[in-house]
Amino acid sequence: MAKPVLLSVDDDSDVLRSIERDLRSQYGAEYRVIGSDSPAGALTLLKQLKVRNDAVALLLADQRMPHMDGVEFLKEASDLFPKAKRALLTAYADTNAAISAINLVSIDYFFLKPWAPPAEHLYPQLDDLLDDWQASYKPVFEGIRVLGTRWAPKSYELRDFLARNRVPYQWIDVEQSAGDPETKRLLEALGSEAANLPIVLFQDGSKLLEGGPADVAQKVGLRTRAQTDFYDLAIVGGGPAGLAAAVYGASEGLHTVMIEREAPGGQSGMSSRIENYLGFPAGLSGGDLARRAVAQAQRFGVEILAPQEVVGVRTEGSYRIIKLADESEISCHALMIASGVQWRRLEAPGIDRLQGAGIYYGGGATEALACKGEIVYIVGGANSAGQAAMNFARFADRVIILVRGESLAATMSQYLIDQIKETPNIQLWARASVAEAHGDTHLEEITVLCSDTDKLERVPASSMFIFIGALPRTDWLEGLVERDDRGFILTGPDLMQNGERPKGWTPDRDPFLLETNVPGLFAVGDVRHGSVKRVASGVGEGSVAVQFIHQYLSKV
């Protein structure tokens, strides 16, 4: 934790060195002592401390300084740090001015120069001031702060990225907290830069204006570049299947790298609650599951690159070479595709325009608190939709689930259906779909189509979360890996046509169960044709595939 600051200001360098020496000698163990030889410089420094979210316990200024006297400085400085104790250094001739300052601008104390010995004329009074300050001091948040607005897509993207990568941060909505004095002081300290939202403020005092996840990732030290250019096993995708493969592969001695486009955990990492995963009778969130799996993988030496995107792959003999979005390449003997799926887009007027401004795909865990007292719409009837509905019901006034079918029975696990029925503020609108989204800067209303009556109803809405099935993102494998008509990767028996091995297949064996038409290139989890779309299934496939990889590598 950063020490609170004691700031002294005096244009006389000898006096400044003396007061700094005495302050540091007595209080250096608990406070950080900073000095400035000009009021203007001290105000600039205070603005920097405000942006860094540092605490200032004491402002100590000489009364007689050019351009700005001590009283004026303390008055301006208190606008930035109103809770800091304020004291003057003054000569005997200026005591009347000091006494007036105490009465007029709430200065807490004044010290006569010289103050020797400090044990009699400085420390006792400062002890009282600092004890009084400590009594009401609440330690400030130490970490990343994000300033933005709720309805700005870029702000949502940053918050979602930080949350999914488990980077602690503080969110400051500059519109909703416009009346908060501390927010006003922070924006004043930022000056003209405050217009460049979203702003990310880092603990070291640096800031990022209108930056994206990739910029933040680099700043916070998330690894996006590989340490070497060759691995035994490279895994594309960091969902449950990819994480399981990474753990089992590395634990059995394979030099393993895992590349994830967004954040470890995949779609399951966005789930607010998974209650049917073996070994967790009380359930756990997708984020918790991802966190545990990442820690386990790293313990076995798995190198995780995230956020990083794979954009292409080629083969050269026994090597599988993947190209990353930053133009770098990684080669490996065995390559596993575990990239999962992405939410299908909802095709209706206004949806794309308002995405990130009230309309979201997926769990939206970062938005749950912001929806307190509001009506939230969930579009879709699978488990992910049910889990989201239960999560939002804890905060929202009402949660409405829209499904095209007659009920949830065909698409959702019974335990979730039962929970939804028992939650009074969740409603199910069956045989309903979204026909249009309305709003200028953010979602304000949606038009719902009832298929039974073919009637349209326009209803108020501030937040809508879409879970309408998913499709794989496998275009980058086109021309190399065989896929079905929806883009899911074919593996094992699905590659065999009339008992014939796939075209171009060279090994004297059939493809392994989870192997593609390219020897040594495997596919597991939701991205694979015919897979069971469950967390446990993905974990199982990822772990089982490692056994086939060992068999493949033994012949390379």
Side-chain angles (χ1 to χ4, degrees):
M1 180 181 295
K3 298 177 182 178
V5 171
L6 308 181
L7 175 67
S8 57
V9 188
D10 200 309
D11 63 311
D12 187 320
S13 58
D14 291 335
V15 175
L16 183 63
R17 282 195 297 269
S18 295
I19 191 65
E20 284 185 282
R21 178 198 63 219
D22 290 343
L23 290 175
R24 197 169 285 117
S25 173
Q26 182 72 3
Y27 304 107
E30 298 179 53
Y31 297 89
R32 182 156 50 109
V33 177
I34 300 176
S36 176
D37 60 4
S38 76
L43 289 172
T44 299
L45 180 59
L46 287 173
K47 290 178 181 179
Q48 294 171 354
L49 294 173
K50 174 61 67 175
V51 171
R52 287 173 49 134
N53 211 25
D54 284 343
V56 176
L58 175 69
L59 299 165
L60 180 59
D62 184 57
Q63 170 59 11
R64 288 197 180 186
M65 293 184 291
H67 309 299
M68 181 185 294
D69 63 29
V71 172
E72 291 176 297
F73 166 77
L74 292 174
K75 185 177 180 181
E76 287 199 29
S78 64
D79 291 338
L80 289 167
F81 290 93
K83 294 183 179 180
K85 295 301 177 180
R86 299 175 288 277
L88 276 176
L89 281 175
T90 182
Y92 181 79
D94 296 322
T95 53
N96 289 335
I99 293 171
S100 297
I102 291 174
N103 295 326
L104 296 176
V105 293
S106 300
I107 289 175
D108 297 293
Y109 203 82
F110 71 90
F111 297 93
L112 290 175
K113 298 187 292 186
W115 55 86
E120 294 182 17
H121 303 303
L122 185 66
Y123 298 150
Q125 296 83 359
L126 284 180
D127 286 345
D128 287 343
L129 292 177
L130 294 176
D131 285 346
D132 189 34
W133 180 83
Q134 285 282 0
S136 60
Y137 169 59
K138 295 180 180 179
V140 296
F141 174 79
E142 293 192 12
I144 294 172
R145 289 170 294 159
V146 180
L147 283 72
T149 58
R150 177 184 176 185
W151 305 119
K154 284 188 175 181
S155 294
Y156 172 76
E157 184 182 23
L158 278 176
R159 288 183 287 127
D160 187 59
F161 168 79
L162 290 169
R164 293 183 64 193
N165 281 279
R166 293 168 292 282
V167 178
Y169 74 98
Q170 181 185 50
W171 163 243
I172 302 172
D173 189 320
V174 298
E175 289 182 347
Q176 291 190 352
S177 61
D180 176 48
E182 195 60 30
T183 300
K184 288 183 178 179
R185 295 184 194 105
L186 178 56
L187 294 175
E188 288 171 2
L190 287 167
S192 60
E193 293 178 335
N196 300 306
L197 298 174
I199 300 173
V200 184
L201 302 177
F202 299 96
Q203 198 170 351
D204 62 1
S206 61
K207 48 189 174 288
L208 186 62
L209 309 178
E210 298 180 295
D215 304 307
V216 177
Q218 185 176 12
K219 179 66 179 178
V220 301
L222 295 178
R223 181 175 293 171
T224 59
R225 297 188 68 87
Q227 291 184 319
T228 63
D229 56 8
F230 175 79
Y231 296 84
D232 297 320
L233 171 62
I235 302 167
V236 180
L243 284 165
V247 168
Y248 277 85
S251 68
E252 295 176 10
L254 298 180
H255 186 203
T256 303
V257 63
M258 188 182 79
I259 305 146
E260 165 57 40
R261 192 167 69 95
E262 294 178 346
Q267 276 195 7
S268 68
M270 302 170 68
S271 175
S272 57
R273 203 74 186 161
I274 302 170
E275 296 191 56
N276 58 354
Y277 188 63
L278 184 66
F280 294 90
L284 77 168
S285 71
D288 285 340
L289 180 61
R291 174 182 56 79
R292 291 166 182 259
V294 166
Q296 195 172 15
Q298 290 176 331
R299 184 167 67 87
F300 288 120
V302 176
E303 189 176 332
I304 298 176
L305 308 184
Q308 180 59 272
E309 184 174 6
V310 177
V311 297
V313 61
R314 70 181 190 275
T315 62
E316 291 183 5
S318 63
Y319 296 98
R320 288 31 186 152
I321 301 171
I322 53 179
K323 182 179 180 180
L324 305 181
D326 62 5
E327 301 295 327
S328 63
E329 292 186 338
I330 295 174
S331 64
C332 58
H333 277 321
L335 174 60
M336 179 181 291
I337 309 301
S339 51
V341 290
Q342 288 188 314
W343 296 113
R344 284 177 49 208
R345 313 294 293 183
L346 177 59
E347 300 296 335
I351 297 293
D352 290 344
R353 181 174 58 84
L354 295 174
Q355 184 179 344
I359 295 178
Y360 312 95
Y361 287 88
T366 55
E367 291 300 293
L369 278 171
C371 295
K372 187 175 183 179
E374 299 179 354
I375 299 176
V376 172
Y377 288 84
I378 304 290
V379 183
N383 277 9
S384 53
Q387 291 161 353
M390 291 301 300
N391 183 44
F392 282 105
R394 298 162 50 212
F395 307 97
D397 181 64
R398 190 155 46 115
V399 177
I400 299 172
I401 303 175
L402 302 178
V403 293
R404 291 179 179 270
E406 295 184 359
S407 70
L408 299 172
T411 56
M412 190 178 291
S413 295
Q414 189 62 44
Y415 82 91
L416 274 170
I417 295 175
D418 293 340
Q419 288 180 359
I420 287 170
K421 286 180 179 178
E422 294 170 3
T423 306
N425 63 333
I426 298 181
Q427 297 178 357
L428 174 65
W429 290 5
R431 297 177 291 277
S433 60
V434 178
E436 188 172 356
H438 312 275
D440 293 328
T441 59
H442 62 89
L443 180 66
E444 297 174 9
E445 296 176 313
I446 59 173
T447 296
V448 179
L449 171 65
C450 177
S451 60
D452 280 353
T453 63
D454 206 29
K455 289 185 178 180
L456 296 171
E457 182 181 359
R458 189 159 168 166
V459 294
S462 58
S463 297
M464 181 170 70
F465 299 86
I466 302 169
F467 306 82
I468 56 171
L471 291 173
R473 187 175 175 275
T474 55
D475 293 347
W476 58 282
L477 294 167
E478 186 173 359
L480 180 68
V481 176
E482 292 188 20
R483 302 170 293 157
D484 65 16
D485 56 359
R486 294 187 299 164
F488 290 96
I489 297 173
L490 300 174
T491 59
D494 292 321
L495 291 166
M496 306 294 287
Q497 299 294 327
N498 300 319
E500 296 291 327
R501 294 167 182 169
K503 185 179 179 180
W505 184 263
T506 56
D508 186 21
R509 60 171 176 81
D510 292 345
F512 291 128
L513 179 64
L514 300 170
E515 194 172 20
T516 71
N517 61 298
V518 178
L521 199 160
F522 297 79
V524 296
D526 291 357
V527 74
R528 190 180 67 82
H529 171 82
S531 66
V532 178
K533 306 300 188 283
R534 288 289 186 269
V535 172
S537 175
V539 171
E541 289 190 11
S543 56
V544 167
V546 173
Q547 303 309 309
F548 296 122
I549 289 171
H550 278 298
Q551 293 180 50
Y552 169 77
L553 291 176
S554 69
K555 304 296 183 180
V556 174

